[in-house]
Amino acid sequence: MHWLILFVAGLFEIGWAVGLKYTEGFTRLWPSVGTVLSMVISMGLLAMALKSIPVGTAYAIWVGVGAVGTATVGILLLGESASLMRLFSLFLIVAGIVGLKLATPV
């Protein structure tokens, strides 16, 4: 269950990372509220996952899910580059996330 919580925390990290783009320096109320809410939820879920997952593993996976998800949103919705090198780099991050999960006896 803690692995699922960690994954959902990573999804909320995507929400706040993308949300930052729309806050315009926290000058727009509703995008700012949504971004801060996503931050709080993401951190809270990460803290819950840390009850049973080692901190180094949990943090790396949380960041990895957020990074891959945010880059994917950028490519699919924001018109960012989908170059072969960029996609391969994202694949390497995913491989690292899978490797950490497999190497953690929890």
Side-chain angles (χ1 to χ4, degrees):
M1 185 62 157
H2 285 103
W3 289 103
L4 178 60
I5 290 170
L6 179 59
F7 180 75
V8 173
L11 295 178
F12 276 97
E13 185 185 5
I14 297 164
W16 69 257
V18 173
L20 283 173
K21 179 173 180 59
Y22 298 98
T23 67
E24 295 182 17
F26 291 104
T27 60
R28 296 181 62 215
L29 178 62
W30 294 116
S32 297
V33 169
T35 298
V36 170
L37 186 60
S38 289
M39 288 176 177
V40 169
I41 293 169
S42 181
M43 295 281 182
L45 291 173
L46 174 61
M48 288 175 58
L50 287 173
K51 290 179 181 179
S52 70
I53 301 171
V55 67
T57 300
Y59 184 74
I61 291 175
W62 178 70
V63 169
V65 168
V68 170
T70 302
T72 302
V73 168
I75 291 168
L76 296 177
L77 301 180
L78 303 175
E80 296 179 5
S81 168
S83 70
L84 186 58
M85 184 58 138
R86 192 162 192 220
L87 295 175
F88 179 68
S89 297
L90 291 173
F91 168 77
L92 291 174
I93 295 170
V94 171
I97 290 169
V98 170
L100 284 170
K101 168 62 173 106
L102 295 175
T104 304
V106 176

